[in-house]
Amino acid sequence: MKSSIKHSVLTLTFFLASLLVLAEEKGQSDAVFIENKGQWQENIFFKMELNHGALFFEDQTLTYLLRDALAFEECCGRIEHDHNSVEQKEVIQFAYQAKWLGSNSNSFKKGNNPRSDYRNYIKGNDPSKWKSHVQLFQHLVYTNIYDGIDVEFYGVEQDLKYNWLVQVGADPSQIVTEYS
């Protein structure tokens, strides 16, 4: 029963997250996983932009950052507003994490199916901190996240999908996810 509840919560969480995923590139329907070449904190390996937020792929954790869509659009998005206005707007955002308890901290994270386009991150005046030709991928795999178990992420249309790949003889009960 407890295992069934864990699986249901995991399925529900990823279903809800998939509702929030929107392909960032117009005309592209698959998920885009952006590699970290030093443009973000070092604990982040890949980032996926969501419609109003982001999903960060870390060592043993997924971190969801979500924000109030309407408030963000009014403040910082595409809705036209007076750029000379000094009025400050509050955008409510929150984060939650899905942590894989007991997972291998040395699992190998790899982006697959590279796209032909890339990103450049030019921040500030110091060129040594600029990151160029940051690769985008359509598929992400954590190899050996648990002994004999991999997890892969990919997009289908506007949904984020994932599969647990359990090798013969591996114990799927190792997969335990804690939400906080």
Side-chain angles (χ1 to χ4, degrees):
M1 178 73 173
K2 190 175 183 181
S3 175
S4 175
I5 291 171
K6 286 180 191 173
H7 178 71
S8 296
V9 170
L10 180 64
T11 301
L12 176 62
T13 299
F14 276 97
F15 172 73
L16 292 173
S18 71
L19 294 176
L20 300 170
V21 175
L22 184 67
E24 177 185 272
E25 311 297 329
K26 300 298 180 207
Q28 294 285 336
S29 60
D30 293 332
V32 176
F33 302 97
I34 308 163
E35 73 173 328
N36 186 4
K37 287 178 73 174
Q39 70 271 24
W40 305 306
Q41 298 168 334
E42 64 184 42
N43 62 307
I44 298 168
F45 292 93
F46 291 89
K47 174 185 174 184
M48 178 181 186
E49 294 182 355
L50 305 176
N51 192 18
H52 292 286
L55 174 56
F56 298 96
F57 295 84
E58 301 170 53
D59 200 22
Q60 297 167 291
T61 303
L62 301 178
T63 299
Y64 295 83
L65 174 65
L66 306 172
R67 64 179 69 97
D68 179 327
L70 182 58
F72 182 76
E73 289 297 327
E74 288 176 354
C75 168
C76 315
R78 294 177 199 89
I79 294 177
E80 289 187 29
H81 59 278
D82 180 6
H83 291 279
N84 296 319
S85 171
V86 293
E87 178 185 355
Q88 292 185 354
K89 302 213 179 204
E90 183 176 300
V91 176
I92 297 172
Q93 53 186 7
F94 66 95
Y96 72 95
Q97 293 184 316
K99 297 178 184 179
W100 297 312
L101 301 181
S103 62
N104 296 321
S105 62
N106 59 353
S107 66
F108 183 70
K109 294 113 188 117
K110 182 177 184 212
N112 293 322
N113 301 345
R115 292 171 42 128
S116 59
D117 53 336
Y118 57 87
R119 297 275 176 85
N120 294 312
Y121 291 85
I122 312 298
K123 296 180 181 179
N125 295 325
D126 182 357
S128 70
K129 295 183 180 178
W130 298 352
K131 305 302 173 194
S132 60
H133 291 87
V134 175
Q135 186 66 59
L136 309 176
F137 298 93
Q138 295 177 328
H139 184 257
L140 175 61
V141 177
Y142 280 60
T143 302
N144 207 38
I145 188 69
Y146 290 98
D147 294 337
I149 300 174
D150 303 341
V151 62
E152 65 176 353
F153 299 90
Y154 58 97
V156 175
E157 295 181 4
Q158 294 182 353
D159 293 332
L160 173 64
K161 302 289 185 180
Y162 71 98
N163 292 318
W164 289 102
L165 308 173
V166 181
Q167 296 175 16
V168 174
D171 181 7
S173 71
Q174 297 176 84
I175 303 169
V176 178
T177 305
E178 174 184 80
Y179 300 93
S180 58

